[in-house]
PDB file of all heavy atoms in Angstrom:
ATOM      1  N   SER Q   1     109.394  88.794 102.864  1.00  0.00           N
ATOM      2  CA  SER Q   1     109.487  87.369 102.512  1.00  0.00           C
ATOM      3  C   SER Q   1     108.711  86.563 103.525  1.00  0.00           C
ATOM      4  O   SER Q   1     108.781  86.821 104.723  1.00  0.00           O
ATOM      5  CB  SER Q   1     110.991  86.962 102.544  1.00  0.00           C
ATOM      6  OG  SER Q   1     111.080  85.544 102.508  1.00  0.00           O
ATOM      7  N   VAL Q   2     107.998  85.597 103.059  1.00  0.00           N
ATOM      8  CA  VAL Q   2     107.266  84.746 103.984  1.00  0.00           C
ATOM      9  C   VAL Q   2     108.199  83.756 104.721  1.00  0.00           C
ATOM     10  O   VAL Q   2     107.867  83.302 105.819  1.00  0.00           O
ATOM     11  CB  VAL Q   2     106.117  83.996 103.239  1.00  0.00           C
ATOM     12  CG1 VAL Q   2     106.620  82.878 102.397  1.00  0.00           C
ATOM     13  CG2 VAL Q   2     105.065  83.534 104.200  1.00  0.00           C
ATOM     14  N   ASN Q   3     109.341  83.465 104.100  1.00  0.00           N
ATOM     15  CA  ASN Q   3     110.274  82.514 104.725  1.00  0.00           C
ATOM     16  C   ASN Q   3     111.382  83.150 105.603  1.00  0.00           C
ATOM     17  O   ASN Q   3     112.006  82.430 106.326  1.00  0.00           O
ATOM     18  CB  ASN Q   3     110.943  81.675 103.651  1.00  0.00           C
ATOM     19  CG  ASN Q   3     110.000  80.814 102.890  1.00  0.00           C
ATOM     20  OD1 ASN Q   3     109.060  80.307 103.457  1.00  0.00           O
ATOM     21  ND2 ASN Q   3     110.176  80.642 101.620  1.00  0.00           N
ATOM     22  N   ASP Q   4     111.590  84.448 105.481  1.00  0.00           N
ATOM     23  CA  ASP Q   4     112.682  85.112 106.160  1.00  0.00           C
ATOM     24  C   ASP Q   4     112.190  86.394 106.815  1.00  0.00           C
ATOM     25  O   ASP Q   4     112.000  87.369 106.122  1.00  0.00           O
ATOM     26  CB  ASP Q   4     113.861  85.378 105.231  1.00  0.00           C
ATOM     27  CG  ASP Q   4     115.038  86.009 105.922  1.00  0.00           C
ATOM     28  OD1 ASP Q   4     114.957  86.270 107.146  1.00  0.00           O
ATOM     29  OD2 ASP Q   4     116.037  86.258 105.226  1.00  0.00           O
ATOM     30  N   PRO Q   5     111.924  86.396 108.146  1.00  0.00           N
ATOM     31  CA  PRO Q   5     111.391  87.551 108.791  1.00  0.00           C
ATOM     32  C   PRO Q   5     112.320  88.794 108.785  1.00  0.00           C
ATOM     33  O   PRO Q   5     111.897  89.902 109.099  1.00  0.00           O
ATOM     34  CB  PRO Q   5     111.088  87.119 110.185  1.00  0.00           C
ATOM     35  CG  PRO Q   5     111.902  85.906 110.383  1.00  0.00           C
ATOM     36  CD  PRO Q   5     112.132  85.243 109.024  1.00  0.00           C
ATOM     37  N   THR Q   6     113.548  88.616 108.422  1.00  0.00           N
ATOM     38  CA  THR Q   6     114.459  89.741 108.331  1.00  0.00           C
ATOM     39  C   THR Q   6     114.492  90.398 106.958  1.00  0.00           C
ATOM     40  O   THR Q   6     115.064  91.495 106.806  1.00  0.00           O
ATOM     41  CB  THR Q   6     115.913  89.316 108.726  1.00  0.00           C
ATOM     42  OG1 THR Q   6     116.381  88.378 107.720  1.00  0.00           O
ATOM     43  CG2 THR Q   6     116.001  88.673 110.079  1.00  0.00           C
ATOM     44  N   ASN Q   7     113.873  89.737 105.970  1.00  0.00           N
ATOM     45  CA  ASN Q   7     113.854  90.281 104.607  1.00  0.00           C
ATOM     46  C   ASN Q   7     112.496  91.028 104.375  1.00  0.00           C
ATOM     47  O   ASN Q   7     111.592  90.454 103.782  1.00  0.00           O
ATOM     48  CB  ASN Q   7     114.042  89.169 103.586  1.00  0.00           C
ATOM     49  CG  ASN Q   7     114.186  89.641 102.191  1.00  0.00           C
ATOM     50  OD1 ASN Q   7     114.646  90.754 101.984  1.00  0.00           O
ATOM     51  ND2 ASN Q   7     113.819  88.799 101.225  1.00  0.00           N
ATOM     52  N   VAL Q   8     112.376  92.211 104.975  1.00  0.00           N
ATOM     53  CA  VAL Q   8     111.119  92.991 104.872  1.00  0.00           C
ATOM     54  C   VAL Q   8     111.402  94.409 104.511  1.00  0.00           C
ATOM     55  O   VAL Q   8     112.481  94.939 104.721  1.00  0.00           O
ATOM     56  CB  VAL Q   8     110.327  92.945 106.221  1.00  0.00           C
ATOM     57  CG1 VAL Q   8     109.852  91.555 106.520  1.00  0.00           C
ATOM     58  CG2 VAL Q   8     111.183  93.511 107.360  1.00  0.00           C
ATOM     59  N   GLY Q   9     110.417  95.056 103.923  1.00  0.00           N
ATOM     60  CA  GLY Q   9     110.486  96.463 103.561  1.00  0.00           C
ATOM     61  C   GLY Q   9     110.023  97.343 104.707  1.00  0.00           C
ATOM     62  O   GLY Q   9     109.738  96.875 105.808  1.00  0.00           O
ATOM     63  N   LYS Q  10     109.891  98.594 104.421  1.00  0.00           N
ATOM     64  CA  LYS Q  10     109.421  99.575 105.392  1.00  0.00           C
ATOM     65  C   LYS Q  10     107.929  99.470 105.548  1.00  0.00           C
ATOM     66  O   LYS Q  10     107.209  99.186 104.572  1.00  0.00           O
ATOM     67  CB  LYS Q  10     109.739 101.016 104.931  1.00  0.00           C
ATOM     68  CG  LYS Q  10     111.256 101.163 104.645  1.00  0.00           C
ATOM     69  CD  LYS Q  10     111.871 101.918 105.762  1.00  0.00           C
ATOM     70  CE  LYS Q  10     113.277 102.334 105.358  1.00  0.00           C
ATOM     71  NZ  LYS Q  10     114.287 101.588 105.977  1.00  0.00           N
ATOM     72  N   SER Q  11     107.349  99.780 106.694  1.00  0.00           N
ATOM     73  CA  SER Q  11     105.919  99.817 106.892  1.00  0.00           C
ATOM     74  C   SER Q  11     105.359 101.101 106.300  1.00  0.00           C
ATOM     75  O   SER Q  11     106.021 102.138 106.321  1.00  0.00           O
ATOM     76  CB  SER Q  11     105.590  99.780 108.419  1.00  0.00           C
ATOM     77  OG  SER Q  11     105.980  98.545 108.937  1.00  0.00           O
ATOM     78  N   ALA Q  12     104.166 101.008 105.786  1.00  0.00           N
ATOM     79  CA  ALA Q  12     103.521 102.157 105.115  1.00  0.00           C
ATOM     80  C   ALA Q  12     102.045 102.184 105.467  1.00  0.00           C
ATOM     81  O   ALA Q  12     101.472 101.190 105.929  1.00  0.00           O
ATOM     82  CB  ALA Q  12     103.724 102.079 103.617  1.00  0.00           C
ATOM     83  N   ILE Q  13     101.412 103.359 105.175  1.00  0.00           N
ATOM     84  CA  ILE Q  13      99.998 103.494 105.494  1.00  0.00           C
ATOM     85  C   ILE Q  13      99.035 102.938 104.415  1.00  0.00           C
ATOM     86  O   ILE Q  13      97.843 102.830 104.684  1.00  0.00           O
ATOM     87  CB  ILE Q  13      99.634 104.971 105.786  1.00  0.00           C
ATOM     88  CG1 ILE Q  13      99.953 105.848 104.548  1.00  0.00           C
ATOM     89  CG2 ILE Q  13     100.391 105.478 106.989  1.00  0.00           C
ATOM     90  CD1 ILE Q  13      99.447 107.281 104.665  1.00  0.00           C
ATOM     91  N   ASN Q  14      99.569 102.588 103.262  1.00  0.00           N
ATOM     92  CA  ASN Q  14      98.741 101.997 102.257  1.00  0.00           C
ATOM     93  C   ASN Q  14      99.579 101.037 101.383  1.00  0.00           C
ATOM     94  O   ASN Q  14     100.793 101.001 101.457  1.00  0.00           O
ATOM     95  CB  ASN Q  14      97.983 103.030 101.422  1.00  0.00           C
ATOM     96  CG  ASN Q  14      98.876 103.894 100.601  1.00  0.00           C
ATOM     97  OD1 ASN Q  14      99.881 103.506 100.068  1.00  0.00           O
ATOM     98  ND2 ASN Q  14      98.482 105.183 100.510  1.00  0.00           N
ATOM     99  N   ARG Q  15      98.860 100.245 100.552  1.00  0.00           N
ATOM    100  CA  ARG Q  15      99.516  99.228  99.748  1.00  0.00           C
ATOM    101  C   ARG Q  15     100.533  99.822  98.782  1.00  0.00           C
ATOM    102  O   ARG Q  15     101.633  99.302  98.564  1.00  0.00           O
ATOM    103  CB  ARG Q  15      98.498  98.468  98.914  1.00  0.00           C
ATOM    104  CG  ARG Q  15      97.429  97.803  99.706  1.00  0.00           C
ATOM    105  CD  ARG Q  15      96.315  97.338  98.753  1.00  0.00           C
ATOM    106  NE  ARG Q  15      96.742  96.245  97.963  1.00  0.00           N
ATOM    107  CZ  ARG Q  15      96.159  95.047  97.939  1.00  0.00           C
ATOM    108  NH1 ARG Q  15      95.067  94.856  98.641  1.00  0.00           N
ATOM    109  NH2 ARG Q  15      96.645  94.098  97.198  1.00  0.00           N
ATOM    110  N   GLU Q  16     100.152 100.928  98.140  1.00  0.00           N
ATOM    111  CA  GLU Q  16     100.995 101.554  97.125  1.00  0.00           C
ATOM    112  C   GLU Q  16     102.293 102.024  97.685  1.00  0.00           C
ATOM    113  O   GLU Q  16     103.387 101.869  97.126  1.00  0.00           O
ATOM    114  CB  GLU Q  16     100.234 102.679  96.420  1.00  0.00           C
ATOM    115  CG  GLU Q  16      99.057 102.233  95.570  1.00  0.00           C
ATOM    116  CD  GLU Q  16      97.840 101.884  96.349  1.00  0.00           C
ATOM    117  OE1 GLU Q  16      97.705 102.312  97.533  1.00  0.00           O
ATOM    118  OE2 GLU Q  16      96.930 101.230  95.820  1.00  0.00           O
ATOM    119  N   LEU Q  17     102.234 102.697  98.860  1.00  0.00           N
ATOM    120  CA  LEU Q  17     103.445 103.183  99.515  1.00  0.00           C
ATOM    121  C   LEU Q  17     104.313 102.006  99.990  1.00  0.00           C
ATOM    122  O   LEU Q  17     105.549 102.123  99.970  1.00  0.00           O
ATOM    123  CB  LEU Q  17     103.089 104.086 100.653  1.00  0.00           C
ATOM    124  CG  LEU Q  17     102.639 105.475 100.293  1.00  0.00           C
ATOM    125  CD1 LEU Q  17     102.244 106.269 101.566  1.00  0.00           C
ATOM    126  CD2 LEU Q  17     103.708 106.262  99.548  1.00  0.00           C
ATOM    127  N   ALA Q  18     103.699 100.928 100.381  1.00  0.00           N
ATOM    128  CA  ALA Q  18     104.455  99.760 100.822  1.00  0.00           C
ATOM    129  C   ALA Q  18     105.293  99.202  99.652  1.00  0.00           C
ATOM    130  O   ALA Q  18     106.451  98.799  99.778  1.00  0.00           O
ATOM    131  CB  ALA Q  18     103.555  98.673 101.384  1.00  0.00           C
ATOM    132  N   MET Q  19     104.660  99.187  98.458  1.00  0.00           N
ATOM    133  CA  MET Q  19     105.368  98.712  97.271  1.00  0.00           C
ATOM    134  C   MET Q  19     106.491  99.701  96.852  1.00  0.00           C
ATOM    135  O   MET Q  19     107.569  99.328  96.410  1.00  0.00           O
ATOM    136  CB  MET Q  19     104.400  98.545  96.101  1.00  0.00           C
ATOM    137  CG  MET Q  19     103.328  97.507  96.355  1.00  0.00           C
ATOM    138  SD  MET Q  19     103.956  95.853  96.515  1.00  0.00           S
ATOM    139  CE  MET Q  19     103.621  95.256  94.871  1.00  0.00           C
ATOM    140  N   PHE Q  20     106.233 100.970  97.081  1.00  0.00           N
ATOM    141  CA  PHE Q  20     107.217 102.021  96.756  1.00  0.00           C
ATOM    142  C   PHE Q  20     108.383 102.001  97.722  1.00  0.00           C
ATOM    143  O   PHE Q  20     109.506 102.202  97.370  1.00  0.00           O
ATOM    144  CB  PHE Q  20     106.565 103.394  96.713  1.00  0.00           C
ATOM    145  CG  PHE Q  20     107.474 104.506  96.325  1.00  0.00           C
ATOM    146  CD1 PHE Q  20     107.862 104.713  95.019  1.00  0.00           C
ATOM    147  CD2 PHE Q  20     107.956 105.381  97.309  1.00  0.00           C
ATOM    148  CE1 PHE Q  20     108.722 105.736  94.673  1.00  0.00           C
ATOM    149  CE2 PHE Q  20     108.802 106.410  96.949  1.00  0.00           C
ATOM    150  CZ  PHE Q  20     109.223 106.581  95.585  1.00  0.00           C
ATOM    151  N   ALA Q  21     108.088 101.799  99.041  1.00  0.00           N
ATOM    152  CA  ALA Q  21     109.079 101.871 100.061  1.00  0.00           C
ATOM    153  C   ALA Q  21     109.612 100.487 100.457  1.00  0.00           C
ATOM    154  O   ALA Q  21     109.945 100.265 101.596  1.00  0.00           O
ATOM    155  CB  ALA Q  21     108.486 102.601 101.284  1.00  0.00           C
ATOM    156  N   ALA Q  22     109.662  99.638  99.477  1.00  0.00           N
ATOM    157  CA  ALA Q  22     110.013  98.241  99.769  1.00  0.00           C
ATOM    158  C   ALA Q  22     111.474  98.093 100.249  1.00  0.00           C
ATOM    159  O   ALA Q  22     111.780  97.182 101.003  1.00  0.00           O
ATOM    160  CB  ALA Q  22     109.806  97.344  98.546  1.00  0.00           C
ATOM    161  N   GLY Q  23     112.326  99.037  99.892  1.00  0.00           N
ATOM    162  CA  GLY Q  23     113.714  98.969 100.351  1.00  0.00           C
ATOM    163  C   GLY Q  23     114.539  97.984  99.540  1.00  0.00           C
ATOM    164  O   GLY Q  23     114.192  97.653  98.392  1.00  0.00           O
ATOM    165  N   HIS Q  24     115.614  97.547 100.091  1.00  0.00           N
ATOM    166  CA  HIS Q  24     116.544  96.641  99.416  1.00  0.00           C
ATOM    167  C   HIS Q  24     116.248  95.177  99.834  1.00  0.00           C
ATOM    168  O   HIS Q  24     116.990  94.597 100.625  1.00  0.00           O
ATOM    169  CB  HIS Q  24     117.977  96.995  99.736  1.00  0.00           C
ATOM    170  CG  HIS Q  24     118.317  98.388  99.307  1.00  0.00           C
ATOM    171  ND1 HIS Q  24     118.517  98.733  97.969  1.00  0.00           N
ATOM    172  CD2 HIS Q  24     118.462  99.505 100.003  1.00  0.00           C
ATOM    173  CE1 HIS Q  24     118.777 100.001  97.895  1.00  0.00           C
ATOM    174  NE2 HIS Q  24     118.787 100.506  99.100  1.00  0.00           N
ATOM    175  N   LEU Q  25     115.217  94.622  99.292  1.00  0.00           N
ATOM    176  CA  LEU Q  25     114.830  93.260  99.555  1.00  0.00           C
ATOM    177  C   LEU Q  25     115.612  92.309  98.672  1.00  0.00           C
ATOM    178  O   LEU Q  25     115.849  92.588  97.521  1.00  0.00           O
ATOM    179  CB  LEU Q  25     113.354  93.031  99.304  1.00  0.00           C
ATOM    180  CG  LEU Q  25     112.386  93.840 100.181  1.00  0.00           C
ATOM    181  CD1 LEU Q  25     110.994  93.742  99.668  1.00  0.00           C
ATOM    182  CD2 LEU Q  25     112.477  93.365 101.593  1.00  0.00           C
ATOM    183  N   ARG Q  26     116.012  91.150  99.226  1.00  0.00           N
ATOM    184  CA  ARG Q  26     116.559  90.107  98.411  1.00  0.00           C
ATOM    185  C   ARG Q  26     115.457  89.568  97.541  1.00  0.00           C
ATOM    186  O   ARG Q  26     114.360  89.243  98.049  1.00  0.00           O
ATOM    187  CB  ARG Q  26     117.167  88.982  99.297  1.00  0.00           C
ATOM    188  CG  ARG Q  26     118.376  89.439 100.016  1.00  0.00           C
ATOM    189  CD  ARG Q  26     119.098  88.286 100.728  1.00  0.00           C
ATOM    190  NE  ARG Q  26     118.186  87.331 101.346  1.00  0.00           N
ATOM    191  CZ  ARG Q  26     117.639  87.544 102.604  1.00  0.00           C
ATOM    192  NH1 ARG Q  26     117.878  88.651 103.246  1.00  0.00           N
ATOM    193  NH2 ARG Q  26     116.858  86.634 103.104  1.00  0.00           N
ATOM    194  N   ARG Q  27     115.685  89.359  96.256  1.00  0.00           N
ATOM    195  CA  ARG Q  27     114.627  88.953  95.342  1.00  0.00           C
ATOM    196  C   ARG Q  27     114.846  87.478  94.894  1.00  0.00           C
ATOM    197  O   ARG Q  27     114.339  87.098  93.885  1.00  0.00           O
ATOM    198  CB  ARG Q  27     114.619  89.865  94.129  1.00  0.00           C
ATOM    199  CG  ARG Q  27     114.410  91.340  94.406  1.00  0.00           C
ATOM    200  CD  ARG Q  27     113.104  91.608  95.144  1.00  0.00           C
ATOM    201  NE  ARG Q  27     111.944  91.108  94.503  1.00  0.00           N
ATOM    202  CZ  ARG Q  27     111.178  91.750  93.655  1.00  0.00           C
ATOM    203  NH1 ARG Q  27     111.442  92.957  93.370  1.00  0.00           N
ATOM    204  NH2 ARG Q  27     110.080  91.167  93.146  1.00  0.00           N
ATOM    205  N   ASP Q  28     115.547  86.710  95.717  1.00  0.00           N
ATOM    206  CA  ASP Q  28     115.764  85.298  95.304  1.00  0.00           C
ATOM    207  C   ASP Q  28     114.605  84.373  95.725  1.00  0.00           C
ATOM    208  O   ASP Q  28     114.641  83.174  95.399  1.00  0.00           O
ATOM    209  CB  ASP Q  28     117.078  84.788  95.964  1.00  0.00           C
ATOM    210  CG  ASP Q  28     117.073  84.946  97.478  1.00  0.00           C
ATOM    211  OD1 ASP Q  28     116.315  85.731  98.004  1.00  0.00           O
ATOM    212  OD2 ASP Q  28     117.908  84.245  98.115  1.00  0.00           O
ATOM    213  N   GLU Q  29     113.592  84.914  96.362  1.00  0.00           N
ATOM    214  CA  GLU Q  29     112.378  84.110  96.659  1.00  0.00           C
ATOM    215  C   GLU Q  29     111.159  84.981  96.511  1.00  0.00           C
ATOM    216  O   GLU Q  29     111.278  86.217  96.420  1.00  0.00           O
ATOM    217  CB  GLU Q  29     112.474  83.554  98.071  1.00  0.00           C
ATOM    218  CG  GLU Q  29     112.626  84.562  99.158  1.00  0.00           C
ATOM    219  CD  GLU Q  29     112.885  83.945 100.531  1.00  0.00           C
ATOM    220  OE1 GLU Q  29     113.526  82.885 100.611  1.00  0.00           O
ATOM    221  OE2 GLU Q  29     112.386  84.495 101.464  1.00  0.00           O
ATOM    222  N   CYS Q  30     110.026  84.427  96.481  1.00  0.00           N
ATOM    223  CA  CYS Q  30     108.759  85.140  96.282  1.00  0.00           C
ATOM    224  C   CYS Q  30     108.489  86.033  97.494  1.00  0.00           C
ATOM    225  O   CYS Q  30     108.757  85.641  98.668  1.00  0.00           O
ATOM    226  CB  CYS Q  30     107.600  84.202  96.071  1.00  0.00           C
ATOM    227  SG  CYS Q  30     107.711  83.293  94.536  1.00  0.00           S
ATOM    228  N   LEU Q  31     107.914  87.215  97.208  1.00  0.00           N
ATOM    229  CA  LEU Q  31     107.550  88.146  98.273  1.00  0.00           C
ATOM    230  C   LEU Q  31     106.044  88.173  98.483  1.00  0.00           C
ATOM    231  O   LEU Q  31     105.287  87.772  97.599  1.00  0.00           O
ATOM    232  CB  LEU Q  31     108.042  89.545  97.895  1.00  0.00           C
ATOM    233  CG  LEU Q  31     109.562  89.721  97.672  1.00  0.00           C
ATOM    234  CD1 LEU Q  31     109.853  91.107  97.188  1.00  0.00           C
ATOM    235  CD2 LEU Q  31     110.329  89.395  98.964  1.00  0.00           C
ATOM    236  N   VAL Q  32     105.644  88.679  99.633  1.00  0.00           N
ATOM    237  CA  VAL Q  32     104.241  88.822  99.971  1.00  0.00           C
ATOM    238  C   VAL Q  32     103.965  90.270 100.366  1.00  0.00           C
ATOM    239  O   VAL Q  32     104.854  90.975 100.851  1.00  0.00           O
ATOM    240  CB  VAL Q  32     103.817  87.881 101.075  1.00  0.00           C
ATOM    241  CG1 VAL Q  32     103.925  86.432 100.675  1.00  0.00           C
ATOM    242  CG2 VAL Q  32     104.555  88.105 102.355  1.00  0.00           C
ATOM    243  N   LEU Q  33     102.732  90.703 100.218  1.00  0.00           N
ATOM    244  CA  LEU Q  33     102.280  91.996 100.748  1.00  0.00           C
ATOM    245  C   LEU Q  33     101.369  91.650 101.962  1.00  0.00           C
ATOM    246  O   LEU Q  33     100.425  90.922 101.812  1.00  0.00           O
ATOM    247  CB  LEU Q  33     101.458  92.722  99.690  1.00  0.00           C
ATOM    248  CG  LEU Q  33     100.829  94.064 100.172  1.00  0.00           C
ATOM    249  CD1 LEU Q  33     101.906  95.067 100.498  1.00  0.00           C
ATOM    250  CD2 LEU Q  33      99.871  94.566  99.073  1.00  0.00           C
ATOM    251  N   GLU Q  34     101.799  92.239 103.075  1.00  0.00           N
ATOM    252  CA  GLU Q  34     100.999  91.910 104.278  1.00  0.00           C
ATOM    253  C   GLU Q  34     100.415  93.175 104.905  1.00  0.00           C
ATOM    254  O   GLU Q  34     100.894  94.272 104.730  1.00  0.00           O
ATOM    255  CB  GLU Q  34     101.895  91.221 105.348  1.00  0.00           C
ATOM    256  CG  GLU Q  34     103.090  91.972 105.762  1.00  0.00           C
ATOM    257  CD  GLU Q  34     104.011  91.191 106.694  1.00  0.00           C
ATOM    258  OE1 GLU Q  34     104.198  89.943 106.532  1.00  0.00           O
ATOM    259  OE2 GLU Q  34     104.570  91.831 107.617  1.00  0.00           O
ATOM    260  N   LYS Q  35      99.316  92.937 105.594  1.00  0.00           N
ATOM    261  CA  LYS Q  35      98.597  94.030 106.318  1.00  0.00           C
ATOM    262  C   LYS Q  35      98.563  93.681 107.794  1.00  0.00           C
ATOM    263  O   LYS Q  35      98.227  92.530 108.147  1.00  0.00           O
ATOM    264  CB  LYS Q  35      97.179  94.108 105.740  1.00  0.00           C
ATOM    265  CG  LYS Q  35      96.274  95.108 106.484  1.00  0.00           C
ATOM    266  CD  LYS Q  35      94.859  95.070 105.885  1.00  0.00           C
ATOM    267  CE  LYS Q  35      93.936  95.964 106.577  1.00  0.00           C
ATOM    268  NZ  LYS Q  35      92.586  95.957 105.962  1.00  0.00           N
ATOM    269  N   THR Q  36      98.925  94.646 108.632  1.00  0.00           N
ATOM    270  CA  THR Q  36      98.933  94.392 110.074  1.00  0.00           C
ATOM    271  C   THR Q  36      98.047  95.415 110.777  1.00  0.00           C
ATOM    272  O   THR Q  36      98.071  96.617 110.514  1.00  0.00           O
ATOM    273  CB  THR Q  36     100.396  94.561 110.659  1.00  0.00           C
ATOM    274  OG1 THR Q  36     101.218  93.633 109.987  1.00  0.00           O
ATOM    275  CG2 THR Q  36     100.416  94.345 112.159  1.00  0.00           C
ATOM    276  N   GLN Q  37      97.151  94.922 111.624  1.00  0.00           N
ATOM    277  CA  GLN Q  37      96.306  95.718 112.475  1.00  0.00           C
ATOM    278  C   GLN Q  37      96.965  95.847 113.868  1.00  0.00           C
ATOM    279  O   GLN Q  37      97.409  94.836 114.415  1.00  0.00           O
ATOM    280  CB  GLN Q  37      94.934  95.060 112.640  1.00  0.00           C
ATOM    281  CG  GLN Q  37      94.000  95.723 113.645  1.00  0.00           C
ATOM    282  CD  GLN Q  37      93.449  97.034 113.112  1.00  0.00           C
ATOM    283  OE1 GLN Q  37      93.070  97.132 111.988  1.00  0.00           O
ATOM    284  NE2 GLN Q  37      93.420  98.027 113.984  1.00  0.00           N
ATOM    285  N   TRP Q  38      97.106  97.087 114.340  1.00  0.00           N
ATOM    286  CA  TRP Q  38      97.744  97.329 115.620  1.00  0.00           C
ATOM    287  C   TRP Q  38      96.747  97.675 116.650  1.00  0.00           C
ATOM    288  O   TRP Q  38      95.735  98.256 116.391  1.00  0.00           O
ATOM    289  CB  TRP Q  38      98.796  98.463 115.442  1.00  0.00           C
ATOM    290  CG  TRP Q  38      99.894  98.155 114.500  1.00  0.00           C
ATOM    291  CD1 TRP Q  38      99.815  98.249 113.116  1.00  0.00           C
ATOM    292  CD2 TRP Q  38     101.165  97.691 114.849  1.00  0.00           C
ATOM    293  NE1 TRP Q  38     100.996  97.852 112.606  1.00  0.00           N
ATOM    294  CE2 TRP Q  38     101.877  97.504 113.624  1.00  0.00           C
ATOM    295  CE3 TRP Q  38     101.800  97.378 116.009  1.00  0.00           C
ATOM    296  CZ2 TRP Q  38     103.190  97.043 113.563  1.00  0.00           C
ATOM    297  CZ3 TRP Q  38     103.138  96.913 115.954  1.00  0.00           C
ATOM    298  CH2 TRP Q  38     103.775  96.765 114.763  1.00  0.00           C
TER     299      TRP Q  38
END
């Protein structure tokens, strides 16, 4: 969630796995797909 930093899924190595491993997110607001460079 862009508005709630505690409402996030698991980190993954690609976009597809991130969507698959999203976990139990609250769906009462719009979600985003983010990419992080470490």
